[in-house]
Amino acid sequence: MGDEPLRFTGGTMGTNYTVQVYAPESEKLALEVGIQRALRRVVNSTSVYEPRSDVSRFNAAEPDEWVEVSDEVARIVAAGLEVAEITAGAFEPTILPLVNIWGFGPQGRAEEIPSEEELEAAMAMIGWQAVEVRTDPPALRKSAPREIDLGGIAKGYGADAVAEYLLAQGHTQFLVELGGDMVVQGGKPDGSPWRIAIERPDETQRGIYRVLELEDAAIVTSGDYRNYFEVDGQRYSHTINPQTGFPVDHRLASVSVIAENSMLADAWSTALMVLGPEQAAEVAEREGVSALLIERTDDGFVETATGEFVDLLAEEDDT
């Protein structure tokens, strides 16, 4: 094992991934194959772009019919429903109809905003309460027409799946990054922690806003500054508020969440992004969620930290 980690990169889930592992060079080919298999397994079961995925089969099923799914999908949906309940639907697993009419789903980019009739029809299909999870054997059922989209949580699970694979191979020093969803295990051979950059939430230029030092943690950042479209000069974010049916329209530019795994961090960052700056801070404090909220103001960015982020930022400011 050398001083430099083995590095793996590629594309999946509509984004890119980077994996760094401190492991012998002789294991590189096997690790590359294993990482790709772990990611492909998650895509094959969760993607709405894959017509034979567990999610697509559930979406096409009739109400009151149990649809057998993988244990992974059952775990992801169960976690999503839990965050949905805690946040009163700010995280909404059944949001696919809204995602589609706003042009962020399999049907492609929208050229104009949806009509009032389209919004009403889509909103009638929204509601996480109609989805039920069974764990043994794993299956999903809906009591009313529903279509789930795990885009706000499955990417985080993808990072976790790679981390679980690496741990199963006996590796304890690695970093997995999947489109902003990250898992770090251990530190570096010299004893130093991983240094994690939080991007400046600016659509015009890339830059670093904060740098954190982490070990054995998952961190996910969500924002409105990369995936959006414009119609008649109005910008529409890919993060949709399931309560209004419209993309979020507030000053919260970025949310970073540290959690026990990337799946939960992903779901929570999505939910807090929907809630907006004031309500997100209240919910994060109440639920013990470690979050960094970056808000746009007329005077620049303002940050609010909760949980573990309070100490992390204090440590950074002391250095």
Side-chain angles (χ1 to χ4, degrees):
M1 188 184 305
D3 294 334
E4 295 298 320
L6 301 181
R7 185 180 177 90
F8 307 91
T9 61
T12 189
M13 300 185 188
T15 187
N16 297 313
Y17 68 84
T18 299
V19 180
Q20 299 180 54
V21 189
Y22 284 98
E25 182 72 27
S26 60
E27 296 186 30
K28 185 169 186 177
L29 180 58
L31 286 173
E32 184 166 26
V33 171
I35 289 167
Q36 291 176 352
R37 283 178 176 171
L39 291 170
R40 173 47 57 183
R41 187 181 72 244
V42 176
V43 170
N44 285 344
S45 59
T46 66
S47 176
V48 295
Y49 295 85
E50 298 283 348
R52 298 176 64 182
S53 73
D54 290 353
V55 166
S56 293
R57 290 189 299 102
F58 171 79
N59 289 345
E62 295 296 323
D64 301 318
E65 171 188 342
W66 281 108
V67 178
E68 292 185 6
V69 298
S70 68
D71 176 67
E72 290 181 311
V73 168
R75 278 192 285 159
I76 295 168
V77 173
L81 292 177
E82 182 178 354
V83 177
E85 183 173 12
I86 293 171
T87 62
F91 182 83
E92 177 54 83
T94 67
I95 202 167
L96 184 60
L98 285 173
V99 172
N100 280 335
I101 66 169
W102 282 101
F104 293 109
Q107 298 175 6
R109 178 70 74 218
E111 296 183 0
E112 56 186 28
I113 64 172
S115 66
E116 185 175 341
E117 291 76 15
E118 288 175 317
L119 279 170
E120 288 180 358
M123 291 291 285
M125 294 274 289
I126 304 298
W128 58 271
Q129 300 92 336
V131 178
E132 182 180 356
V133 179
R134 185 180 69 194
T135 57
D136 189 18
L140 306 178
R141 180 169 67 176
K142 51 191 170 186
S143 59
R146 293 291 184 270
E147 294 181 321
I148 59 176
D149 179 357
L150 302 180
I153 190 171
K155 190 152 55 79
Y157 184 82
D160 290 334
V162 172
E164 289 173 7
Y165 162 73
L166 294 173
L167 285 170
Q169 302 307 305
H171 299 293
T172 58
Q173 295 175 302
F174 59 77
L175 177 151
V176 179
E177 190 272 330
L178 176 54
D181 296 28
M182 192 171 298
V183 179
V184 294
Q185 183 69 33
K188 300 179 181 180
D190 63 4
S192 63
W194 295 97
R195 289 176 59 81
I196 307 302
I198 294 177
E199 188 175 18
R200 181 179 177 84
D202 188 338
E203 65 272 16
T204 60
Q205 59 182 357
R206 290 186 178 273
I208 295 174
Y209 181 79
R210 286 276 196 175
V211 177
L212 306 176
E213 294 186 341
L214 294 177
E215 296 183 26
D216 302 335
I219 179 170
V220 171
T221 297
S222 296
D224 69 351
Y225 52 94
R226 287 285 174 258
N227 192 2
Y228 62 89
F229 71 95
E230 293 186 359
V231 175
D232 297 331
Q234 175 69 42
R235 189 174 72 169
Y236 296 94
S237 165
H238 78 289
T239 302
I240 299 172
N241 185 337
Q243 306 297 326
T244 66
F246 279 81
V248 295
D249 184 20
H250 49 57
R251 291 193 168 194
L252 187 55
S254 171
V255 176
S256 297
V257 172
I258 296 174
E260 61 187 78
N261 57 58
S262 186
M263 174 182 68
L264 285 176
D266 199 3
W268 271 106
S269 67
T270 301
L272 297 179
M273 194 68 207
V274 166
L275 289 171
E278 293 83 9
Q279 196 174 359
E282 293 173 4
V283 171
E285 287 280 8
R286 184 189 74 208
E287 300 298 330
V289 176
S290 297
L292 175 64
L293 314 175
I294 304 176
E295 180 183 358
R296 292 187 188 91
T297 73
D298 294 338
D299 299 318
F301 293 120
V302 173
E303 64 184 37
T304 301
T306 65
E308 189 175 345
F309 265 104
V310 175
D311 293 333
L312 285 171
L313 298 184
E315 291 171 5
E316 183 201 353
D317 290 338
D318 289 339
T319 59

